[in-house]
Every structure is written in C-alpha cells, then in structure tokens.
Amino acid sequence: MSTIPFSILPEQAGHAADIEKLIQEVFGPGMTARAAYALREGVEHTRKLSFIASADERLIGTVRLTRILWGGEPALMLGPLAVLPQENNKGIGSALMHHAIDAASQAAQRGGDPLIMLVGDLDYYAPFGFKPVPPNQISLPRPVDPKRVLACELMEGSLASYRGKAASFNR
C-alpha cells in the first residue's frame, strides 16, 4: 500500500462544490436511484460530523453524516464516503471513517444521536463497529439488499430500540 501525506479536516461550506464533484466522479449518475440517497435528498447533512481528506491543498475524500428518522426516532446515516479512485487503498477512507465515528460518538456522549446507520458492504464496515440490522427492523424508501443495511451503536444496546420506517429528518 502506497501512502501519501493527507489531512482530515472538518468540512466547511466552501468545500461544497468540490465535494459534489468528487461524489459524482466516484458514484456517477446512478447514485440518485439508491435508497440512501433518497433519505439524504433535500436534507442538509450535519456539517460538524462531516469531514474531508486533503492532500496538497486538494480535496481527495469526504464522509458525511446526516440526521434521519428511524421509526420516528432520530439517528445518523453515514454517507456518502468517497475517495478519489486514484487515491484508493491508501488509508484515506479508513481515516475519514474513524474521524466521523469518533465525532459522532463524542456527540452521543453529550446527548446526541446514539446510532449510525448506512447501506454498504459488511466486510468493509465491520472493522469500524458496524453490524447487520436484524431482518424487518428497518424499512427504507427504496429497495435495498437487507444484508447491506448496517448499524453502529454509539451507545451500547441502542439498536434494539430502533424499528420501523427510515425517513428524512426535516428540521
């Protein structure tokens, strides 16, 4: 694994255009058809829990957390996590994940949301504390492979209390 020096920084409003460009490059136009996108559409992500990776003053990665409702209870949804394709396998995605989860965990200790949900590959996300959501415990706005619906408890035992439909969190 080749490494490059990079920094993880809090996302700022001025990063928005570069982040959108990066997300389009990584996921392409099909991203808008996904269940996770439907939950984030038209909802502002939680900037204090969102981060970028920067190398040589250029944006090379991003991770965002967005508040959602799951069965009427607030939770966080992670995504998108995106790293420039030419910078994959250099630890950037992992560093972004650790920063986002650490920040969300600290917020949970102060009364913030106790759980992060995402749609993704268990093999990648399990080392960060994600586990499959039990069958029929969540209903998403678009079809998704239930094995890809994962959760990370920021407060031990919190997953058991989440049941029902996931929806956008409208402020």
Side-chain angles (χ1 to χ4, degrees):
M1 169 169 80
S2 164
T3 59
I4 60 167
F6 64 91
S7 300
I8 304 296
L9 306 167
E11 180 184 324
Q12 303 294 317
H15 296 133
D18 288 337
I19 290 171
E20 291 308 314
K21 190 170 140 183
L22 169 67
I23 291 168
Q24 284 298 317
E25 181 177 342
V26 171
F27 295 105
M31 180 178 106
T32 60
R34 296 177 180 180
Y37 183 85
L39 290 171
R40 291 190 302 262
E41 190 172 25
V43 178
E44 186 66 29
H45 62 282
T46 306
R47 189 165 291 131
K48 68 182 178 185
L49 300 177
S50 300
F51 299 89
I52 63 142
S54 176
D56 297 325
E57 297 184 30
R58 66 186 174 98
L59 186 125
I60 59 171
T62 182
V63 64
R64 286 178 165 172
L65 287 169
T66 303
R67 287 191 91 197
I68 63 167
L69 292 174
W70 178 352
E73 295 297 320
L76 294 167
M77 184 176 71
L78 191 140
L81 168 66
V83 175
L84 283 174
Q86 64 269 30
E87 304 299 347
N88 279 341
N89 301 312
K90 297 179 180 175
I92 298 162
S94 178
L96 285 164
M97 286 293 297
H98 285 295
H99 267 76
I101 293 167
D102 288 349
S105 183
Q106 290 174 23
Q109 298 300 320
R110 296 186 307 271
D113 301 313
L115 179 105
I116 302 173
M117 184 276 285
L118 62 78
V119 178
D121 296 322
L122 181 59
D123 288 346
Y124 182 81
Y125 291 104
F128 301 105
F130 284 85
K131 60 186 177 185
V133 171
N136 303 314
Q137 193 166 330
I138 189 170
S139 170
L140 294 169
R142 294 186 182 149
V144 64
D145 179 350
K147 294 177 191 151
R148 293 177 48 82
V149 182
L150 311 174
C152 175
E153 294 177 315
L154 303 172
M155 302 297 287
E156 191 172 336
S158 61
L159 178 58
S161 66
Y162 282 88
R163 294 200 176 312
K165 180 180 176 183
S168 297
F169 189 96
N170 296 318
R171 294 173 163 70

